[in-house]
């Protein structure tokens, strides 16, 4: 008697033997695979000769205007602390803020899968509208498309934002300099942990909520420091590890951070330990990392801490003239280890 073997195909965000020249989940994760896709395929086709990749770009005809666009495919649509609608607003506003810009207007495009309950779509849109009104930015245009069952995953949201630079601010991923202080506006890891727990039913959702929120007020608070603010980044896909590596690479500096000063909530640390994840690589949606001139670090911390969303701001490290593009972690036991740019996101569909 023979038995027929059955197999089950699992989605994997990282490369596997036999994948060949195909798009993987990891290509959209903000790590090395994303960089390779951009450098070898996307940029040569649409923006040859592009400089450092930023969260948003200046409009060529008016350098005071800044634009960004972003797609949101988070699964599930609703998670502790947020949903895809609010996340789309916050993510777009934050990308503008990381270039020193105040948001002026948003557009929203929806791709809706046939069969999505109208009550869920209404809840997402109500949340999106409420988030936009809370920021004070109008949604001025949009588009809606519906695709057949099985041709999407319930709902995808794409947003475009336009903002205007705050006077004196021009932060850039290429702007960090040796001797800068590296500041973090708050704890890391909550968003990725909350989404993963909800998606997989891991049970952490009762203890961890996403940190999704707008960060433009923090950047506005830093505006009086002017050109002492060298680089800003919100560490979303790929987490803090990806953001530090990107700034170190584009600025040509070494970044050293101290593990003892990086704030990781106890519940997030416990979840990461259980799942074998590095909190430095887990996505965030409500904190920023700032590279500021050393002499302005204390004032920058005071300004960040003056707002509720920056109350837990800390200094986590500094830049040096060491090997350009390297990120080093000083561990709790006194050792030093290299923090690599993640290959691909171990938590796909996180934003």
């Amino acid at each position: 008697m023979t038995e027929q073997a059955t197999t089950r195909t699992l989605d994997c965000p990282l490369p596997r033997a036999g994948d060949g020249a195909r798009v993987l989940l990891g290509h959209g994760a903000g790590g090395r695979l994303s960089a390779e896709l951009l450098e070898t395929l996307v940029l040569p086709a649409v923006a040859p000769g592009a400089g450092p990749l930023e969260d948003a770009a200046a409009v060529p005809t008016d350098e005071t205007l800044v634009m960004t666009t972003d797609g949101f495919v988070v699964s599930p649509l609703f998670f502790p602390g947020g949903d895809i609608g609010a996340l789309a607003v916050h993510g777009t506003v934050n990308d503008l803020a990381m270039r020193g810009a105040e948001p002026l207007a948003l557009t929203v495009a929806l791709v809706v899968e046939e069969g999505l309950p109208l009550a869920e779509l209404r809840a997402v849109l109500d949340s999106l509208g409420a988030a936009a009104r809370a920021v004070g930015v109008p949604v001025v245009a949009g588009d809606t498309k519906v695709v057949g069952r099985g041709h999407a995953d319930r709902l995808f949201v794409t947003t475009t934002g336009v903002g205007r630079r705050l006077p004196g601010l021009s932060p850039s991923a290429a702007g960090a300099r040796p001797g800068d202080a590296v500041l973090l506006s708050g704890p890391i890891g909550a968003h990725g942990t909350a989404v993963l727990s909800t998606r997989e039913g891991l049970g952490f959702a009762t203890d961890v909520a996403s940190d999704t929120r707008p960060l433009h007020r923090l950047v506005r608070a830093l505006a009086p420091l002017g050109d002492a603010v060298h680089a800003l980044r919100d560490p979303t896909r790929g987490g803090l590890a990806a953001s530090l590596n990107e700034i170190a690479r584009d600025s040509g500096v070494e970044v050293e951070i101290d593990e003892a000063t990086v704030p990781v909530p106890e519940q997030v640390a416990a979840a990461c330990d259980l799942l074998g994840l590095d909190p430095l690589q887990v996505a965030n949606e409500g904190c920023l990392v700032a590279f500021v001139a050393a002499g302005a670090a204390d004032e920058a911390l005071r300004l960040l801490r003056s707002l509720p969303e920056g109350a837990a701001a800390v200094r986590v490290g500094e830049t040096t003239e060491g090997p350009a593009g390297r990120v080093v972690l000083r561990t709790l036991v006194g050792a030093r280890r290299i923090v690599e740019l993640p290959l691909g996101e171990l938590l796909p569909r996180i934003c």
Side-chain angles (χ1 to χ4, degrees), residues 21-77:
R22 299 176 184 271
V23 175
L24 307 172
L25 278 175
H27 281 121
R32 277 185 283 160
L33 288 178
S34 292
E36 291 174 6
L37 185 69
L38 288 171
E39 292 168 3
T40 62
L41 185 64
V42 178
L43 293 177
V46 301
L53 299 183
E54 307 278 7
D55 284 333
V59 176
T61 56
D62 185 346
E63 291 289 324
T64 68
L65 292 178
V66 174
M67 287 188 65
T68 188
T69 192
D70 207 347
F72 296 86
V73 297
V74 63
S75 175
L77 301 181

Side-chain angles (χ1 to χ4, degrees), residues 65-127:
L65 292 178
V66 174
M67 287 188 65
T68 188
T69 192
D70 207 347
F72 296 86
V73 297
V74 63
S75 175
L77 301 181
F78 301 89
F79 45 85
D83 59 79
I84 193 172
L87 182 66
V89 172
H90 297 162
T92 307
V93 167
N94 292 347
D95 282 349
L96 293 171
M98 295 310 104
R99 295 306 309 277
E102 283 274 359
L104 296 177
L106 300 177
T107 70
V108 177
L110 307 177
V111 176
V112 187
E113 184 182 20
E114 179 188 17
L116 180 72
L118 287 176
E120 291 190 38
L121 180 58
R122 181 178 295 109
V124 167
L125 292 174
D126 286 347
S127 179

Side-chain angles (χ1 to χ4, degrees), residues 79-82 188-198 203-211 265-272 282-283:
F79 45 85
I188 64 171
H191 176 72
T193 304
V195 173
L196 179 66
S197 179
T198 305
F204 299 114
T206 58
D207 300 316
V208 182
S210 170
D211 63 342
E266 182 179 346
Q267 299 92 333
V268 171
C272 289
V282 177

